[in-house]
Amino acid sequence: MQKEEKRPRGRPVGSSDQGLKRQEFVVAVMKAIAEHGYKDVTVATICEAAGFSRGLIGHYFPGKDALLLHAVGEVAKDFEQATRSAAEAAGPDPLDRLHAVVTASFSAPVFTPERVLVWVALASTSHWSPELAEIYQQLYRPYRRGLAHLMRRAADARGVRINADRLAMTLTQLTEGMWAGWAADPKTVSSAEGEAACHDLLNAFFRKPGKS
């Protein structure tokens, strides 16, 4: 008698209901990370945030680590999509596109309490987790290249000289630093002040020669 093939635990079946449940778990993971930190998240805290039983995770993910990595990956994907859409909507001028990316970086859906805290946890934990480091690098390396490309075009259009790769790194790390500052001291490092500082950086480098 032929044995019945068993479905691997955690493999998605492609139904809309399963996709919805997986997304609910992602939201729950973000809440749990925001409340407890990445290292201290447990299956129990995730299920408590989602309102599901502990055994339900196994129907959608092979374990806690896979769920955590999936949730962080979704945050990274949403960041990439939101900033790309903002740049495209800003029109053809490369400096306008750069400013639009900055604005998107400090606005929903990128800048929400849960997502910022997830990202701060990702950046601070990546050194000790190859899987998290890979998510971080896969997002930021092409992201910085895209910023540098826009910066070269903006510099050429305005007749200024810059090190585009270094400036792209500076803007990226300034943005992330402002997120971390908000997480530690939101009264001082507000999203508005963080955004303004990043706009100031762009304006300082792309001011046309002879203009004060």
Side-chain angles (χ1 to χ4, degrees), residues 170-192:
T170 302
L171 178 60
T172 302
Q173 297 311 128
L174 177 59
T175 300
E176 192 171 89
M178 290 296 176
W179 291 348
W182 173 88
D185 185 6
K187 290 185 178 180
T188 302
V189 189
S190 66
S191 60

Side-chain angles (χ1 to χ4, degrees), residues 22 24-47 49 57 60-77 117-119 121-122 125-126 129 131-133 135-136:
R22 286 169 67 88
E24 289 177 10
F25 273 123
V26 169
V27 173
V29 169
M30 288 193 292
K31 290 181 179 179
I33 292 175
E35 291 180 8
H36 304 283
Y38 187 87
K39 289 184 177 180
D40 293 327
V41 170
T42 65
V43 172
T45 58
I46 294 169
C47 289
I57 283 183
Y60 301 94
F61 298 93
K64 185 194 78 170
D65 290 342
L67 174 53
L68 289 173
L69 289 170
H70 176 76
V72 173
E74 289 298 298
V75 172
K77 186 189 304 181
L117 291 172
V118 167
W119 198 257
L122 168 62
T125 311
S126 292
S129 169
E131 295 84 4
L132 287 176
I135 292 173
Y136 187 91

